Amino acid sequence: MDNQVIAYESLKTVAILSAIPLVMFAIWADYTGKKLKPDNIIDLHKIRITGFLAVMAQVIVFLATTALRSKNPIASTLVFLTSLVAQSILQIRLELKVRNPSPGEAKERMALSMKGLVFLLLGAASWLGIILLCLASAVVLGRFLVLPKSLSVLLPFAGALTGIILSLVFNFAFAPFFLRHTLSVEQLGKGDLRDIFSAIFQKCGFKPAAVWVIKNKDRFSLSTAFVAGLRGGVGPFKPSLFISKTIVDHFRNDEILAILLHEIGHVLLNHLRNRLALSITLIICTTAAGVFLSIFMYSVFAGFQLLIGPIIAIAALVFSLKMMVRQGRRQEMAADIYSMEAMGGDPQSLIQALIKLDAINLMAQHGEMPGNNIITHPVTDERINRLKKYLEFKDSKKKAA
């Protein structure tokens, strides 16, 4: 059979398989959309959970069709991304029904969501472009050096792995830029709070970071604060602090200061770099383990080749997520303690800020909210108990002195 015909038939098969999760989600959306109740947070959770499951189904199809996609890699990847975009638009429309905004707000939200989607796609395209560039460079290098067949086979693999690592560094470094364009944000205006932020940044020994206020449109919008970017970066790489408008408007200055010191603690403890280092380590280790297991299992479970790749990939993904969540929780605890011990933060102010955040975000303080095991921040009570123990330890040291 002609190679072009094979490539076309492979692409058609990939498109049909990618359409299955999308069509199932569309049918579910059509059925559920008629029953959605405005301002019902349970319905919002259902939409997001179903959307997540549909994305996972798309990822499984993507991994399971590796051999087919190799015939036409760029076009089949575009099919995958197009399916995700179509699903995202359906999900955005469903969420708007639950959020129940006014006609003007609905139009503004849809425009903002589409803008965010465009920048997410640009990020994904940049990530994919870096990988393909490294892969092509490795292939060209192999032909130029005239390597033995065993090494020439490994070189494209090494090129792809290098591309994945470089794209990860790119995403970490450009995170402030992409977040500014995917979230609804505005720069913190001049005033006492901005002066306090600038003074704290200078006191901690680095240039004041850009502070962006995340607009909270309704009660479904989560309130949070986080730092993005790499320490020492300049221009688009400069670290930025993102903080929700509800925190700026409704928290006391001492509570905001406690949150700020916690986030600065992440930067001073190099937590962002450590996350990047762990991500790179996990990519290298899981890839090496996946290649070894694939070679071993192909020989043992002959006839199940199409299933082995996706199973190994999903197992590697689950393991990596667990490791990153564990690291994230440890870093939250470390930043809490560091903000008090090294920067003189007030434990009581941080405790009050955490309690307020829980109340605003409708999260159960005792970890009873569904999906708590995948939340990066530890359960609030756990953090508060740690802070109280720190206070008791500090008081006992004062008495002993």
Side-chain angles (χ1 to χ4, degrees):
M1 189 180 292
D2 185 66
N3 287 337
Q4 287 187 341
V5 175
I6 294 173
Y8 172 75
E9 291 298 325
S10 300
L11 181 61
K12 188 166 71 173
T13 305
V14 169
I16 292 169
L17 291 173
S18 297
I20 293 172
L22 176 61
V23 171
M24 290 179 68
F25 183 78
I27 293 170
W28 179 87
D30 181 63
Y31 173 77
T32 306
K34 299 170 185 175
K35 299 184 177 182
L36 291 176
K37 298 176 183 177
D39 296 322
N40 189 328
I41 197 167
I42 302 298
D43 284 345
L44 192 63
H45 285 319
K46 286 179 182 177
I47 293 168
R48 289 177 176 173
I49 290 169
T50 308
F52 173 77
L53 292 175
V55 169
M56 286 296 99
Q58 289 280 6
V59 171
I60 291 170
V61 169
F62 185 78
L63 294 171
T65 55
T66 303
L68 293 171
R69 285 187 292 106
S70 64
K71 309 294 182 186
N72 207 331
I74 296 176
S76 56
T77 301
L78 287 174
V79 167
F80 170 69
L81 292 176
T82 302
S83 299
L84 291 180
V85 170
Q87 182 194 315
S88 299
I89 293 171
L90 287 173
Q91 186 168 333
I92 290 167
R93 287 179 173 173
L94 280 179
E95 289 193 17
L96 283 175
K97 285 186 177 181
V98 175
R99 290 176 181 273
N100 194 29
S102 65
E105 288 177 342
K107 190 175 180 180
E108 182 185 347
R109 280 175 174 274
M110 194 66 183
L112 180 64
S113 298
M114 294 309 297
K115 178 188 173 185
L117 197 58
V118 167
F119 273 90
L120 284 174
L121 286 173
L122 284 174
S126 302
W127 184 78
L128 184 62
I130 292 171
I131 295 173
L132 291 175
L133 180 63
C134 290
L135 179 60
S137 300
V139 172
V140 171
L141 182 63
R143 289 175 181 173
F144 177 76
L145 296 176
V146 194
L147 296 172
K149 189 175 180 180
S150 57
L151 290 177
S152 62
V153 171
L154 289 175
L155 204 56
F157 173 76
L161 188 60
T162 303
I164 292 171
I165 292 170
L166 288 177
S167 63
L168 194 61
V169 174
F170 172 84
N171 284 339
F172 264 81
F174 271 97
F177 173 80
F178 283 111
L179 286 168
R180 288 201 306 270
H181 291 88
T182 53
L183 299 174
S184 177
V185 297
E186 60 186 6
Q187 274 201 294
L188 182 66
K190 292 182 179 179
D192 294 340
L193 196 57
R194 185 169 175 177
D195 293 338
I196 292 171
F197 279 22
S198 298
I200 291 297
F201 282 125
Q202 290 173 353
K203 182 181 176 182
C204 294
F206 56 91
K207 295 178 182 179
V211 180
W212 296 90
V213 179
I214 306 170
K215 300 174 187 176
N216 298 79
K217 294 293 186 181
D218 53 34
R219 71 185 186 91
F220 297 122
S221 301
L222 291 176
S223 294
T224 185
F226 59 91
V227 173
L230 299 176
R231 185 181 177 186
V234 294
F237 303 101
K238 183 180 179 181
S240 295
L241 171 68
F242 293 84
I243 185 167
S244 295
K245 187 171 175 58
T246 47
I247 296 176
V248 174
D249 290 344
H250 301 296
F251 282 41
R252 299 194 312 265
N253 278 1
D254 63 300
E255 294 166 346
I256 296 174
L257 180 60
I259 292 171
L260 175 62
L261 290 175
H262 168 89
E263 296 304 327
I264 290 175
H266 281 304
V267 178
L268 294 177
L269 291 170
N270 292 317
H271 282 170
L272 296 178
R273 290 183 183 177
N274 292 342
R275 288 175 198 172
L276 177 59
L278 177 65
S279 300
I280 292 172
T281 303
L282 286 171
I283 287 171
I284 294 172
C285 292
T286 53
T287 302
V291 170
F292 173 78
L293 286 172
S294 296
I295 294 171
F296 171 73
M297 294 181 75
Y298 276 153
S299 60
V300 176
F301 299 101
F304 295 92
Q305 287 88 345
L306 284 176
L307 294 175
I308 291 171
I311 290 171
I312 292 174
I314 292 167
L317 178 63
V318 171
F319 172 76
S320 298
L321 286 174
K322 282 187 173 292
M323 292 296 292
M324 294 178 75
V325 167
R326 184 180 298 177
Q327 182 198 51
R329 290 186 170 181
R330 286 176 180 171
Q331 287 182 345
E332 293 303 322
M333 290 293 191
D336 285 344
I337 300 302
Y338 187 83
S339 68
M340 293 177 291
E341 287 186 342
M343 294 184 283
D346 179 22
Q348 288 294 350
S349 297
L350 183 55
I351 288 171
Q352 289 302 314
L354 291 173
I355 292 172
K356 279 187 178 181
L357 274 174
D358 256 7
I360 290 172
N361 291 335
L362 303 176
M363 290 173 63
Q365 287 194 28
H366 299 282
E368 296 173 355
M369 185 168 180
N372 180 66
N373 61 319
I374 60 168
I375 294 173
T376 302
H377 287 65
V379 179
T380 304
D381 274 355
E382 185 183 345
R383 290 178 71 183
I384 290 174
N385 288 335
R386 183 79 175 264
L387 292 169
K388 286 180 178 178
K389 286 179 182 178
Y390 171 79
L391 280 172
E392 291 171 4
F393 172 72
K394 200 172 178 180
D395 290 340
S396 64
K397 281 186 72 176
K398 282 183 179 178
K399 290 176 182 178

